[in-house]
Amino acid sequence: MQRVGVVGAGLRGLVTAKTLLGEGHEVVVFEKEAEPGGVWARSRRYPRVTTQNPRDTYAFSDFPMPVSYPEWPTGEQVQAYLSAYADRFGVTPRLRLGTRVDEAREREDAPGWTVRTTRVEGPGAGERATEHFDFLVVCNGVFSAPHVPPLPGREAFEAAGGRVLHTTEFRDEASVEGKRVVVVGYAKSACDVAAVAADRARECTLLYRRPHWKMLKRWFGAVPLRWGLPPRPAESLFRYRRPAGLERALHTAGRPLVWLFWRGVELHLRRAQRLGAGGLVPGDRVEQVVSCALSLETDGFFAGVRSGRLRAVRGEPARFVEGGVELASGERLEADVVVFGTGFRQEVPFLAEPARSRLVDGEGVFRLYRNILPPDVPRLAFIGYNSSLYSQLTAEVGARWLAEHLRGALSLPTAEEMHREIRERWEWIRRERPRGAVAGTCVVPLTFHYLGDLLRDMGARTVRSRNVLAEFLLPVDPSLYADLAAELEGKRERPGPAKVWAGRV
C-alpha cells in the first residue's frame, strides 16, 4: 500500500481515487473548488451547459447515469452524477475540498513528494499544511487554466464599467440583461454563451477568427449522433501511424472512398446547418480538424445567426477601447460585457523545478509515456492528459493502467525506449494532425487505438464483448469495461514484490 496524493476532483481525479482505493492505497484528493466535478462544478459551469456526449456514453463503466437524465445531460446533472459516484465508491471522505495545491516538490530525504496546500474556502480558510506522499497523480485536467488574451486597454474598459469574463466565469444570464455583449471564440463554450446572451442581451456579437465544423446531434434530422457516426468505424477513416488490415486497405486502395465519405459529411453539415446563409462555411476539410477541439452544435446558434438576432463577425480583437473592443482591422464593436471563450492553457504551476523542466519540453509538450507516465520524473503520473471525445473512458482505463503499474504488474520499456515512442508519436501528430496537437494531451481521433495500447500493456482483452462485429459497429458502451479489474485479477498470479523501474514502483 502506498500513500497517494491526487490533484483535482473532476471526473479524472474521482475515477483515479476510486481505482486506487480499490487497490488498497491510502488516497487524498485535493480540490480547490467547494465541490467535486471539475468543469461541471457550479463555480465553473455557465448557464444551460450540457454534455457533448449522449448520456449513456458519458458514464463510467460500473456506474451508469440515471435513466431519468435527458439524452444530453445538463451541467448540474453531471455534477450530481459525479458526486454520487464519489459517494458510492468511498471517495467522498478522501476529498479535501476548498484546498489549493501551492507546491508539489520531490522529496530529498525519501522517495516521494512533499505537497504544500492552502485552505481557500470553508472553515479554516487561509490555513496552510504540508504532507508527504509516496506517489503523486496530477488530475487537474486540460481545462484547468482559463485563457484570456492580455489585450491592452482592459483596465480602462473595466474602470468605465465594462466587464471582462472567461466563459467559466459567466454564471448568471441575468447579468447580461439589456447589455451589449461580445463573445470571443468559436468553440462550444463560446457558441453556447453567445446563444444564451442573445436571448437576454440588448445585442450580442460573436467575434471569431475562423469558423469550425460542428457535429450534428441528429443526422438527417432523425438519426442520433451515436448511431449516425459510430466511433470505431469513423476512427478507421483516419490514417494511423501503424495501419493494418482494414485501415491499411482504406488508406491505400480505398482512399478515394474515404475522400468521398468526408465530402459527403461536409455537404450534409452545410445543408443541415445552412452554413452558407450565415457565412460560416469552414475553409478546412472536416477530417483535418477532428480533434479534442471538435464540438457539438449549439441549439439555436445557427438559426440565431441567420435571423440576425446573433451577429457573427470574423476578426481578431486587438485592444479594449472606451465602450467596446477594437479589432485588428480597425473596426470597433460596442460592448458592455466581453466574454472570452478562448480556451485554456495547459499548466501545472504547482509542480516545482526541476521536475517541471523534465516533464515539459521547450514547445510546451508534455513528455508522457502512454499520456500517463513521465519517464524522467519518479513517482509521478497524469490521468486526464489523454483527453478524448470519451474522456471518462480514457481516464478510467488510464487509471486502471496506473493501478497495474503501482502493483508492479506492467512490463514497461526502458526510459530510452519510452522517450523514443513519445518522440515518434509527437512527430507523427505534428505532421499528420497539427490542429489536434494540444500539447500532446489529446488522443482524438484515434481513441480506440490508444485504449488498445493500454489494454495490451495490461494483458487485457482489446475486444470487450463476444461479438466483434457488433462492438465495432455499435456506439460506445462503457459497461463493456466494467469487468476489466476482475479480468486482470483472474489472470494474475499471487503477487510478489513490486517490480522496480527507473527508480520508481
Side-chain angles (χ1 to χ4, degrees):
M1 182 186 77
Q2 300 195 52
R3 190 163 196 262
V4 181
V6 176
V7 182
L11 70 85
R12 298 154 178 89
L14 296 178
V15 73
T16 298
K18 176 257 188 183
T19 303
L20 297 183
L21 284 169
E23 292 291 304
H25 298 290
E26 180 186 350
V27 178
V28 177
V29 184
F30 299 104
E31 172 55 59
K32 64 183 177 181
E33 305 297 336
E35 63 182 7
V39 294
W40 303 109
R42 74 187 69 191
S43 58
R44 298 194 65 191
R45 63 178 183 253
Y46 51 82
R48 307 187 205 175
V49 63
T50 63
T51 64
Q52 292 210 91
N53 299 64
R55 177 194 65 203
D56 295 337
T57 67
Y58 197 65
F60 293 117
S61 68
D62 52 0
F63 196 71
M65 283 195 177
V67 294
S68 60
Y69 279 16
E71 183 179 15
W72 307 94
T74 66
E76 183 178 7
Q77 289 171 325
V78 176
Q79 195 282 323
Y81 165 79
L82 293 173
S83 291
Y85 177 84
D87 291 342
R88 167 66 179 80
F89 293 104
V91 176
T92 301
R94 312 288 177 159
L95 299 178
R96 302 275 182 86
L97 299 175
T99 303
R100 182 185 66 227
V101 174
D102 297 319
E103 183 185 69
R105 181 178 294 276
E106 294 171 279
R107 295 183 65 177
E108 296 181 357
D109 57 336
W113 292 83
T114 296
V115 175
R116 294 184 172 85
T117 61
T118 299
R119 181 82 172 172
V120 292
E121 287 197 35
E127 291 182 358
R128 299 177 182 273
T130 300
E131 298 185 62
H132 301 296
F133 295 94
D134 302 308
F135 204 95
L136 185 68
V137 189
V138 177
C139 302
N140 64 339
V142 296
F143 305 113
S144 60
H147 172 63
V148 174
L151 302 182
R154 175 172 174 172
E155 289 186 7
F157 175 76
E158 291 180 317
R163 294 186 66 202
V164 178
L165 307 169
H166 189 269
T167 51
T168 57
E169 300 170 305
F170 177 64
R171 292 188 286 274
D172 181 8
E173 50 187 286
S175 66
V176 296
E177 189 78 47
K179 305 286 188 181
R180 300 168 301 174
V181 179
V182 170
V183 181
V184 183
Y186 201 85
K188 183 177 187 294
S189 63
C191 293
D192 284 355
V193 168
V196 171
D199 287 343
R200 303 293 295 265
R202 188 170 87 195
E203 59 184 57
C204 181
T205 301
L206 181 81
L207 176 62
Y208 66 96
R209 283 190 296 182
R210 60 175 181 267
H212 309 301
W213 296 104
K214 293 182 179 289
M215 291 296 103
L216 297 161
K217 288 185 175 180
R218 293 189 178 273
W219 293 87
F220 306 103
V223 182
L225 173 62
R226 65 183 184 277
W227 291 98
L229 202 62
R232 291 178 180 87
E235 183 170 309
S236 68
L237 298 174
F238 295 95
R239 187 164 52 191
Y240 184 50
R241 61 191 178 118
R242 292 190 290 264
L246 174 63
E247 288 182 345
R248 184 186 297 274
L250 282 172
H251 296 284
T252 52
R255 285 180 64 186
L257 295 176
V258 174
W259 186 90
L260 284 172
F261 173 83
W262 289 120
R263 301 295 74 74
V265 169
E266 289 179 358
L267 180 62
H268 181 50
L269 291 175
R270 291 181 63 161
R271 288 178 173 176
Q273 296 168 339
R274 297 173 60 187
L275 300 179
L280 296 175
V281 178
D284 301 303
R285 290 180 174 178
V286 66
E287 69 270 30
Q288 295 174 330
V289 296
V290 174
S291 70
C292 289
L294 184 69
S295 62
L296 193 69
E297 64 178 358
T298 298
D299 291 341
F301 171 76
F302 291 112
V305 173
R306 290 194 302 270
S307 69
R309 182 172 55 85
L310 172 57
R311 183 186 177 206
V313 174
R314 188 167 186 172
E316 185 85 22
R319 61 187 60 82
F320 289 99
V321 294
E322 183 179 351
V325 178
E326 184 176 296
L327 310 188
S329 63
E331 180 183 359
R332 293 195 176 192
L333 302 177
E334 294 183 342
D336 305 303
V337 181
V338 179
V339 185
F340 285 89
T342 43
F344 297 80
R345 299 184 306 276
Q346 194 66 38
E347 294 182 347
V348 281
F350 51 84
L351 200 62
E353 294 291 0
R356 191 188 309 179
S357 60
R358 301 203 306 268
L359 170 70
V360 184
D361 68 16
E363 297 179 279
V365 177
F366 285 79
R367 296 190 291 256
L368 300 174
Y369 181 70
R370 297 292 194 240
N371 289 67
I372 297 173
L373 214 59
D376 297 331
V377 187
R379 298 178 179 271
L380 177 69
F382 291 74
I383 298 297
Y385 281 46
N386 52 4
S387 187
S388 74
L389 301 180
Y390 303 94
S391 290
Q392 83 298 336
L393 185 56
T394 48
E396 183 173 355
V397 178
R400 176 55 54 191
W401 188 94
L402 175 60
E404 292 296 295
H405 169 57
L406 290 176
R407 184 187 278 266
L410 296 184
S411 297
L412 295 172
T414 65
E416 181 181 354
E417 290 169 333
M418 290 188 196
H419 277 300
R420 184 183 307 116
E421 167 67 16
I422 294 168
R423 183 173 60 254
E424 289 176 358
R425 175 179 175 269
W426 177 241
E427 289 173 353
W428 180 83
I429 289 173
R430 284 197 304 183
R431 182 175 65 253
E432 287 285 324
R433 311 207 57 79
R435 296 283 179 84
V438 197
T441 62
C442 177
V443 299
V444 175
L446 300 166
T447 302
F448 291 93
H449 280 289
Y450 171 75
L451 288 173
D453 287 339
L454 296 184
L455 293 168
R456 279 186 288 271
D457 288 347
M458 294 185 281
R461 304 187 317 272
T462 56
V463 177
R464 305 303 303 170
S465 70
R466 295 181 180 180
N467 191 325
V468 178
L469 182 61
E471 185 173 338
F472 178 77
L473 294 175
L474 294 179
V476 172
D477 181 0
S479 70
L480 294 178
Y481 297 78
D483 65 345
L484 178 56
E487 176 193 350
L488 295 173
E489 189 64 35
K491 288 185 174 183
R492 191 176 292 122
E493 297 178 355
R494 185 175 179 179
K499 302 173 185 177
V500 178
W501 163 69
R504 61 183 72 78
V505 296

